[in-house]
Amino acid sequence: GSSNHTVTTFISTDTSDGRITIHSPGHVDADITAAGDLSIAGTKITVTSEQRELLQKYYVTTLAMRDHGIATGNAGIAPAGKAFSGVVSGLANGNTNKIDSEVNASAARVEAQSTLICKDLDSLRSTQEKLLASQLPAFRPYALIKSNEADDCRGRQISRE
């Protein structure tokens, strides 16, 4: 495996059992519940009320990032078919200006959604740093978001000309 992973590689968001799971290479999994409970390898870790609030925020932000990722995919998929038919129609009718505007509108929707993912990633990074600062050493192996990843995320957003 590469050491250049994204956060989605590490967090499972199947919440049918009411928790998210963080996978850290070389460590057992950690689970966080909506209530802010932290368990590592099935053992509940004692947390302060401040840490519980941060764990709840981590849980909610992770789910928001998942939802924003799905919305970003949908923002790109649905308009792609429309853009393709618009390209065919525009070429057939000689109206190439319409092609450009439809493709740009689709790109703008995807870009708007991807901005939300970058904000979520930044929020997760901030929350994990607050968890570490709150003296929760058990969380250290699961603090997988590097300081540059949110910046890198914003730098990779779609650029339109």
Side-chain angles (χ1 to χ4, degrees), residues 10 14 35 37 40 42 44-45 63-64 67 71 75 77 81 88 111 114 122-123 125 134 137 146 153-154:
F10 298 110
D14 176 11
D37 295 320
I40 298 175
K44 189 172 178 180
I45 305 300
L63 295 185
D67 293 346
I77 292 169
V88 172
E111 184 177 13
S114 69
D122 199 33
S123 179
R125 166 74 181 165
S134 73
K146 305 291 182 252
C153 178
R154 285 186 290 274

Side-chain angles (χ1 to χ4, degrees), residues 11-83:
I11 302 174
S12 300
T13 56
D14 176 11
T15 57
S16 59
D17 59 359
R19 62 183 161 190
I20 61 170
T21 301
I22 306 172
H23 312 284
S24 179
H27 297 276
V28 295
D29 290 348
D31 296 310
I32 300 173
T33 67
D37 295 320
L38 173 66
S39 297
I40 298 175
T43 301
K44 189 172 178 180
I45 305 300
T46 302
V47 296
T48 66
S49 58
E50 175 195 5
Q51 291 165 339
R52 182 172 306 284
E53 286 178 25
L54 290 167
L55 289 163
Q56 289 170 327
K57 181 176 181 183
Y58 194 94
Y59 178 93
V60 168
T61 304
T62 299
L63 295 185
M65 188 164 72
R66 177 201 61 191
D67 293 346
H68 292 144
I70 291 168
T72 300
N74 290 340
I77 292 169
K82 184 178 178 190

Side-chain angles (χ1 to χ4, degrees), residues 44-141:
K44 189 172 178 180
I45 305 300
T46 302
V47 296
T48 66
S49 58
E50 175 195 5
Q51 291 165 339
R52 182 172 306 284
E53 286 178 25
L54 290 167
L55 289 163
Q56 289 170 327
K57 181 176 181 183
Y58 194 94
Y59 178 93
V60 168
T61 304
T62 299
L63 295 185
M65 188 164 72
R66 177 201 61 191
D67 293 346
H68 292 144
I70 291 168
T72 300
N74 290 340
I77 292 169
K82 184 178 178 190
F84 178 74
S85 63
V87 167
V88 172
S89 173
L91 290 172
N93 297 327
N95 186 0
T96 56
N97 289 338
K98 184 178 181 187
I99 296 170
D100 193 39
S101 67
E102 287 195 16
V103 170
N104 282 338
S106 294
R109 286 188 289 276
V110 172
E111 184 177 13
Q113 286 298 319
S114 69
T115 298
L116 295 174
I117 295 171
C118 292
K119 286 180 181 176
D120 295 335
L121 185 60
D122 199 33
S123 179
L124 278 178
R125 166 74 181 165
S126 173
T127 302
Q128 87 178 7
E129 291 309 302
K130 289 175 184 169
L131 282 166
L132 294 176
S134 73
Q135 304 302 311
L136 186 58
F139 189 77
R140 183 163 300 286

